[in-house]
Amino acid sequence: MRKLLLSLVVFLAPLLSSAQQSRHFTFHYAFTVRDISQGQKVEIWFPMAHSDAFQEVRVLRIEGDLPVAKTREKRFGNTLFHTVAPVAAKHDYTFDVVYDVVRHERIGLPRDGATPHLVKTSDKEAKKYLGPDKLVPVTGRLADLAAKQVQGKTSETDRARALYDSVFSTMRYDKSGTGWGRGDAEWACDSKRGNCTDFHSLFISMARSQHIPARFEIGFSIPINRSSGEIPGYHCWADFYDSGYGWIPVDISEAWKDPGKKDYFFGAHDANRLQFSMGRDLVLDPPQAGEPLNYFVYPYVEVEGQKWESVSNRFSFADVTKSNAATGQ
């Protein structure tokens, strides 16, 4: 019997190691548009979390001071909510969306016996992610820097790893002062610091300059060491495209925070996140009067056709356990 059990453990070990992690939680996306003068036109857009291969999303409840409609922007296919008050009757407008989410770990490269989940697309679609964004150039000095980093590398993945290592080793996660958070790749290169937006903008700029498609994704990080609570702000990450494996995930800023996971976050995203949208320089649906959005994770508001900054956000989560799932909490 002991030999049988030992044989069973040996047989099951690779299967257990390849099991990918999941996390089940509820997510509150709430905000208040403040200080509106009665009679003004107020228009509001905010992103909608969606289901895909790595997250199963259900809207449990939508509450708000105005009825909302679901729309979709055309360039990246992001879903969003839109509402308008042609003549404001209140000074403040509050909205709250509650999601039920099961997020799955995403493995994009073979590792430790785990089978990667391949996400492939057409060459035409991948090439959409080779061009510049307003703050993400693909020519000039960042391209020259990238060319030096990838010398001697032939495959897309080897070249992307060289760029990942370069950003990891030269940047530091530092949100002091000003300038960070805009995703200005040249600023990030010069300052050598910033948040997740700056890390991944620099990576995307250099990758695209070397003809490696790369895309920007944004949402929220779910804390690992807590089962519920407030979430202070967004988190973003990136994918690059390898013709053999498809879209491969990276998260350089999370690797920087936990260097022991540097290899893990090249080719994987953990289950502790929720994606809301993709892309930069976004034109919403219906189109906003203002400039394209740098990225889209917080509500965007216009009053009388002008961008409105007086918006307070409240984001929170709670893990779903067997007990609270049974009671509907």
Side-chain angles (χ1 to χ4, degrees):
M1 178 62 72
R2 184 177 181 181
K3 288 183 178 180
L4 177 61
L5 289 174
L6 181 60
S7 298
L8 186 60
V9 169
V10 171
F11 174 76
L12 289 176
L15 299 178
L16 294 173
S17 66
S18 67
Q20 296 181 14
Q21 301 298 310
S22 296
R23 189 168 183 179
H24 188 187
F25 54 91
T26 57
F27 188 89
H28 276 252
Y29 185 108
F31 65 95
T32 300
V33 181
R34 301 189 182 279
D35 307 320
I36 306 297
S37 296
Q38 291 185 358
Q40 292 182 310
K41 178 183 178 181
V42 181
E43 195 162 9
I44 302 166
W45 299 257
F46 54 104
M48 178 183 180
H50 59 282
S51 294
D52 59 25
F54 308 104
Q55 58 185 33
E56 298 152 27
V57 177
R58 290 189 301 126
V59 176
L60 297 181
R61 186 173 72 250
I62 303 176
E63 297 176 346
D65 291 330
L66 294 169
V68 299
K70 177 182 172 182
T71 69
R72 182 185 299 270
E73 60 85 26
K74 296 178 176 60
R75 184 179 175 194
F76 300 102
N78 295 308
T79 52
L80 58 142
F81 293 112
H82 172 258
T83 187
V84 59
V87 180
K90 303 177 61 175
H91 294 296
D92 298 341
Y93 286 90
T94 295
F95 300 84
D96 186 3
V97 183
V98 184
Y99 296 98
D100 178 88
V101 181
V102 178
R103 177 76 192 198
H104 304 288
E105 181 183 21
R106 179 182 172 190
I107 302 296
L109 289 171
R111 61 179 69 210
D112 301 327
T115 301
H117 186 126
L118 302 184
V119 181
K120 292 196 172 186
T121 190
S122 66
D123 288 343
K124 180 179 179 181
E125 177 68 19
K127 288 178 179 177
K128 287 170 54 177
Y129 297 93
L130 284 174
D133 296 316
K134 182 178 180 179
L135 297 177
V136 182
V138 298
T139 58
R141 59 194 182 93
L142 295 189
D144 295 339
L145 175 63
K148 294 177 182 178
Q149 299 299 321
V150 302
Q151 283 183 351
K153 310 295 183 183
T154 55
S155 72
E156 292 101 329
T157 294
D158 287 345
R159 290 186 291 134
R161 179 61 195 245
L163 300 176
Y164 175 96
D165 289 343
S166 174
V167 174
F168 177 90
S169 62
T170 58
M171 291 281 289
R172 71 182 188 276
Y173 193 90
D174 179 357
K175 298 194 293 185
S176 63
T178 60
W180 60 270
R182 296 180 64 240
D184 184 329
E186 291 189 335
W187 183 92
C189 181
D190 292 340
S191 64
K192 295 181 172 53
R193 68 180 183 89
N195 74 345
C196 54
T197 324
D198 307 301
F199 273 70
H200 295 111
S201 296
L202 180 55
F203 172 80
I204 290 169
S205 175
M206 293 197 295
R208 290 177 179 176
S209 78
Q210 299 308 303
H211 310 292
I212 302 170
R215 62 189 186 184
F216 175 90
E217 299 172 352
I218 194 165
F220 295 88
S221 181
I222 307 302
I224 298 173
N225 56 354
R226 292 187 284 129
S227 60
S228 64
E230 299 293 320
I231 296 176
Y234 71 82
H235 180 51
C236 64
W237 47 91
D239 291 345
F240 71 90
Y241 197 77
D242 180 292
S243 55
Y245 290 108
W247 288 109
I248 297 175
V250 297
D251 194 332
I252 315 172
S253 56
E254 285 300 288
W256 195 94
K257 294 176 185 178
D258 188 352
K261 291 186 175 181
K262 178 186 176 186
D263 290 338
Y264 172 83
F265 280 116
F266 182 81
H269 286 154
D270 60 27
N272 304 302
R273 63 190 65 215
L274 171 60
Q275 182 180 332
F276 269 77
S277 67
M278 180 184 299
R280 306 283 294 272
D281 303 338
L282 294 150
V283 176
L284 305 177
D285 182 30
Q288 69 271 29
E291 296 181 353
L293 301 192
N294 189 12
Y295 45 78
F296 188 40
V297 67
Y298 294 154
Y300 176 74
V301 180
E302 291 182 346
V303 175
E304 296 294 337
Q306 301 295 316
K307 183 179 179 181
W308 191 255
E309 301 281 5
S310 184
V311 182
S312 62
N313 300 315
R314 300 176 304 283
F315 310 119
S316 63
F317 82 101
D319 284 329
V320 174
T321 64
K322 290 183 179 179
S323 59
N324 64 26
T327 59
Q329 298 179 345

